[in-house]
Amino acid sequence: MLGVSIFTGIYYWIMKTDVGYAFTHAMRQPLFSALFIGLIMGDVKQAIIIGAAVQILYIGLVAAGSNLPADDCLAGLIAVPIALSAGMTTQQAITLAVPVGVLGVFLDQLRKTVNVVFIHMGDKYAEEGDAKGIILCNLVFPTILSFFMRFPVPFLANMYGAGAVQNFMNSIPDWLTQGFTVAGGLLPALGFALTLFVIGKRELMPLFFIGYFLVIISGITVFEAAIFGVCVILLIMAFTDKKVEEA
């Protein structure tokens, strides 16, 4: 399991750095990573079957405020190889994937908390006009920290198996779990606040709230909301261009 342990550790780190963003968001899905795990372990068919079963848990997963309720990437990188090596059924793989996905959320919240140090360092470099320091604090340091926080989790889990994962989850004290749960509840609100800050323009704020409450009240899917939003944008652009031409 050494080979797949090293692969999953590096894969998890790279995928969660969001390099390429859209590509990493697709490639970190359990069904996608199962292909590579199956090639390494010599059973692509069964790996895909397990990966598809785990993937069902995370279809339609929405990152409210840029914070996912479960780490689909980590769940797949641990559940698929362990289930494949131990001969588990798809139901057993799903049972293993659920707590692992929650563990990934706690890990991400811890990473974001520690990254605050780099943000304050970056502010200091910005005041001094040090472009190199800003790059280090916004890119290099967080990426290095991410490696040391992310690589060991799937590496150790796949090296020592499902028993070690379950024992680790049971060893986490309740106060720590509850603390991360509270923090996780606040992070989506912070994410929405940052979105409002980025939008900035007052004339666009009504559109934001209309879209938000439309989704909440109507219960439409994210895909349907995206189509609706694109249509609204196209209409606004068409009317704006018409006014410019008349002027």
Side-chain angles (χ1 to χ4, degrees):
M1 291 289 286
L2 179 61
V4 73
S5 298
I6 295 174
F7 167 77
T8 53
I10 294 177
Y11 194 88
Y12 183 49
W13 170 58
I14 294 175
M15 292 301 107
K16 298 299 282 189
T17 58
D18 283 337
V19 176
Y21 200 68
F23 293 102
T24 53
H25 273 247
M27 293 175 65
R28 74 187 189 192
Q29 299 301 314
L31 184 57
F32 196 103
S33 60
L35 171 62
F36 300 107
I37 294 171
L39 289 172
I40 295 173
M41 300 184 69
D43 193 348
V44 175
K45 179 181 177 180
Q46 187 61 22
I48 293 295
I49 292 174
I50 297 171
V54 175
Q55 182 69 65
I56 293 174
L57 296 172
Y58 306 106
I59 291 178
L61 202 64
V62 178
S66 189
N67 289 278
L68 287 170
D71 191 335
D72 49 356
C73 181
L74 184 62
L77 291 174
I78 291 180
V80 174
I82 289 180
L84 198 60
S85 63
M88 293 181 178
T89 63
T90 53
Q91 290 79 9
Q92 291 172 324
I94 291 173
T95 303
L96 176 62
V98 171
V100 171
V102 176
L103 174 63
V105 175
F106 294 160
L107 182 64
D108 197 51
Q109 291 168 3
L110 178 61
R111 178 190 63 83
K112 290 178 179 179
T113 302
V114 177
N115 272 347
V116 172
V117 176
F118 301 135
I119 293 174
H120 292 303
M121 290 173 60
D123 290 339
K124 181 180 179 181
Y125 285 125
E127 292 176 355
E128 297 172 355
D130 188 345
K132 183 179 179 181
I134 295 173
I135 293 174
L136 289 173
C137 292
N138 285 274
L139 181 62
V140 179
F141 295 156
T143 303
I144 294 174
L145 173 68
S146 177
F147 176 82
F148 287 105
M149 294 186 69
R150 297 193 187 282
F151 176 85
V153 179
F155 175 81
L156 294 174
N158 288 312
M159 281 293 293
Y160 296 102
V165 175
Q166 191 61 50
N167 290 335
F168 176 78
M169 294 297 296
N170 293 334
S171 67
I172 299 176
D174 292 337
W175 63 265
L176 183 60
T177 303
Q178 293 173 0
F180 278 125
T181 301
V182 173
L186 294 174
L187 286 174
L190 176 61
F192 281 117
L194 291 173
T195 302
L196 291 173
F197 179 78
V198 172
I199 291 176
K201 296 182 178 180
R202 293 182 179 180
E203 60 268 24
L204 297 179
M205 301 301 273
L207 294 175
F208 175 85
F209 288 107
I210 289 172
Y212 177 77
F213 287 105
L214 175 66
V215 173
I216 296 298
I217 296 172
S218 66
I220 62 176
T221 65
V222 175
F223 182 73
E224 292 167 344
I227 294 176
F228 179 79
V230 170
C231 293
V232 171
I233 292 172
L234 292 175
L235 288 173
I236 292 174
M237 292 176 62
F239 284 117
T240 302
D241 292 340
K242 185 176 180 180
K243 290 181 179 180
V244 172
E245 290 176 359
E246 292 176 353

